Amino acid sequence: MAELAEGIPELARALSVDETASKFRALSLLVYFFSSIRHTDAELALISKATRSRATWPTDVRDGLHRILSTRIGPQVCSECLSLGAMMMSWFGPTWAVPHGDTEGKHAELLLQVVRIEVTMLLEDDIKPEDPNAPRKALDDTQQYTVLSCFEIVERSIEYLSLDSDDAWERLQAQPLARLLDIVRDVVAIAMRFIAREKVRRNTRPMRCHVS
């Protein structure tokens, strides 16, 4: 574990500055590493110790994700970006996405914009207006993972905007803060509509008759 953790700064740096396909390899390795460990104080301390030579690596990850999400990417890369963003917010708190000095909340807003796009596309885009409760195409493993990452990011954002609202109001300008709130409300509304449709669909599912 310690040996793997020592490679984090180098991977984070590659994610941030590499202009070749190597940055996508770094992205995949970072996702693999963080998804394979438990979120405990002991392991966080181990990572902190192993990466103390370059303590700014979380900033490199944030900047790297921003660069990648600002370009046209495929579903797999997008899913990995959201997964890593969610894990970073889980490990380091939601302020990882809203660093000091970022009064416009550009990192958090981009991340949440992608979240809104993905959740809309995966949970609502194929709904038929004439029959909104009709069965939908099942999500594949990557899509399910994407949705879970999106909800993790939204949960951490709500935590920041509500429990740490004083910090949010002090760090962010009024308009960027309002945009973040709007995006979070949109995603929550999409999730609630999805849950309501699933409830109706399950309640109206034909009963099976068993003949003995």
Side-chain angles (χ1 to χ4, degrees):
M1 176 67 71
E3 293 181 359
L4 290 174
E6 289 175 358
I8 290 177
E10 183 178 348
L11 292 173
R13 186 63 177 167
L15 187 68
S16 177
V17 303
D18 201 310
E19 297 293 342
T20 70
S22 296
K23 65 177 177 289
F24 299 116
R25 174 65 173 166
L27 171 63
S28 296
L29 289 173
L30 285 168
V31 171
Y32 173 78
F33 176 80
F34 280 103
S35 62
S36 65
I37 59 178
R38 297 185 303 275
H39 190 167
T40 64
D41 290 341
E43 292 192 338
L44 185 58
L46 184 150
I47 292 173
S48 178
K49 180 179 180 180
T51 60
R52 62 178 179 270
S53 62
R54 187 172 178 81
T56 59
W57 69 266
T59 300
D60 289 336
V61 171
R62 184 180 60 240
D63 293 344
L65 289 181
H66 191 100
R67 291 173 65 245
I68 294 175
L69 290 173
S70 299
T71 62
R72 179 174 293 183
I73 53 178
Q76 182 63 41
V77 173
C78 183
S79 181
E80 289 186 334
C81 285
L82 292 172
S83 174
L84 184 55
M87 287 186 282
M88 293 297 289
M89 292 179 77
S90 176
W91 276 86
F92 298 101
T95 54
W96 168 83
V98 190
H100 284 289
D102 181 17
T103 60
E104 296 182 355
K106 61 180 182 180
H107 298 292
E109 184 173 355
L110 176 61
L111 194 60
L112 283 170
Q113 283 176 341
V114 175
V115 164
R116 179 167 57 185
I117 291 170
E118 290 298 307
V119 170
T120 300
M121 181 175 65
L122 295 173
L123 300 186
E124 291 202 324
D125 266 7
D126 67 343
I127 292 175
K128 299 177 181 178
E130 67 276 12
D131 189 7
N133 297 315
R136 303 177 64 254
K137 182 180 179 181
L139 300 179
D140 61 30
D141 290 344
T142 297
Q143 291 170 331
Q144 291 182 36
Y145 199 50
T146 299
V147 171
L148 291 175
S149 297
C150 287
F151 288 161
E152 174 74 15
I153 290 170
V154 169
E155 178 185 353
R156 296 297 174 179
S157 299
I158 291 174
E159 173 189 332
Y160 177 65
L161 294 169
S162 57
L163 300 181
D164 297 326
S165 57
D166 289 342
D167 184 85
W169 282 99
E170 291 175 0
R171 289 196 189 194
L172 299 172
Q173 298 175 10
Q175 290 186 344
L177 180 59
R179 289 197 296 269
L180 294 183
L181 290 168
D182 285 343
I183 297 173
V184 168
R185 278 194 291 262
D186 287 348
V187 176
V188 171
I190 292 169
M192 296 306 295
R193 289 195 294 268
F194 173 77
I195 293 171
R197 287 193 304 273
E198 285 296 297
K199 181 179 179 180
V200 171
R201 187 179 65 82
R202 291 176 183 275
N203 289 341
T204 57
R205 181 182 299 171
M207 295 182 62
R208 294 182 179 179
C209 295
H210 297 276
V211 179
S212 58

